[in-house]
Amino acid sequence: MRNTRWIVRLAFMFALAGSVLFADEKPARDGQHDFDFWMGSWQVHNRRMLKPLTGSKEWVEFDGTTVARPVWGGLANVDEYEGKAPAGRILGMTVRTYNTKTGQWSLYWANSTAGEIAMPPTVGHFDGKGKGEFFDKEDYKGKPIVVRYTWKVIDDNHCRWEQAFSPDDGKTWETNWIMENTRVKE
């Protein structure tokens, strides 16, 4: 619990200090409650492409769980993910912070393999109709790419998350990780 608080504080400092990618795209609505649907426990079915951006179409499927909770009265949230992938166990965490000035969320991912928060954050917002898009620029295998996370709220008990890479600055996209989430009844 103490480590989670420290990581949330660190992520918030990066969010305040960092520049916002696509910041000219200011939403016309207050989105601080956009991730409220995500709070709670989830069963996760994953489909993950083994070798993105290589032309390979080989996917693996595996299951996992996520537990998400709000912090700072809903201006941020944290989730803990555990996946049982064929290559081994995945332990991950996402910290999300909401910027009230820009109306955008910054998403910070960390996993136990790297042991640190991946930078830069993936930044974006929801459209008010249950779809959110978040972007960042990274290097992947020595080449610059754009990363896109897409969230789709299906109903109160189901949502979908996708990760896609673009090697051509957003002209084309290759989806390489899909999570189908089903709420665990508590």
Side-chain angles (χ1 to χ4, degrees):
M1 182 69 151
R2 201 148 115 206
N3 287 339
T4 301
R5 284 187 195 140
W6 180 84
I7 290 170
V8 169
R9 286 182 186 139
L10 181 63
F12 184 68
M13 289 183 339
F14 281 123
L16 290 176
S19 62
V20 177
L21 184 65
F22 306 115
D24 58 331
E25 215 179 286
K26 187 173 180 179
R29 52 181 287 283
D30 179 3
Q32 75 180 31
H33 295 288
D34 284 342
F35 277 103
D36 286 0
F37 74 91
W38 186 234
M39 300 305 101
S41 299
W42 298 83
Q43 288 292 324
V44 183
H45 182 72
N46 295 268
R47 287 188 62 229
R48 192 171 182 185
M49 184 179 284
L50 285 177
K51 298 175 185 171
L53 301 179
T54 64
S56 172
K57 300 298 178 200
E58 186 177 358
W59 291 74
V60 294
E61 296 192 34
F62 57 96
D63 292 318
T65 59
T66 298
V67 177
R69 63 183 177 78
V71 293
W72 299 343
L75 289 175
N77 60 68
V78 177
D79 71 43
E80 294 179 74
Y81 169 78
E82 182 173 348
K84 298 172 186 97
R89 186 171 170 211
I90 301 170
L91 295 175
M93 178 177 67
T94 305
V95 175
R96 297 175 191 83
T97 59
Y98 184 72
N99 184 320
T100 58
K101 291 181 180 152
T102 65
Q104 296 198 359
W105 285 90
S106 295
L107 287 58
Y108 300 86
W109 166 254
N111 66 51
S112 62
T113 302
E116 60 188 26
I117 293 177
M119 295 301 281
T122 307
V123 178
H125 63 274
F126 278 81
D127 63 4
K129 299 174 189 167
K131 182 180 178 186
E133 289 190 312
F134 306 85
F135 301 89
D136 75 63
K137 292 187 177 186
E138 299 178 16
D139 283 335
Y140 180 73
K141 303 215 182 247
K143 296 183 180 175
I145 62 167
V146 179
V147 177
R148 178 184 68 198
Y149 294 166
T150 303
W151 280 92
K152 293 178 189 170
V153 178
I154 298 166
D155 59 36
D156 290 344
N157 296 309
H158 302 89
C159 62
R160 178 182 178 118
W161 174 87
E162 295 180 3
Q163 173 181 272
F165 292 168
S166 174
D168 55 14
D169 208 29
K171 292 182 186 100
T172 61
W173 294 95
E174 179 181 80
T175 300
N176 58 60
W177 195 345
I178 300 167
M179 293 180 166
E180 299 287 352
N181 304 284
T182 302
R183 184 178 301 280
V184 175
K185 303 289 182 186
E186 298 188 46

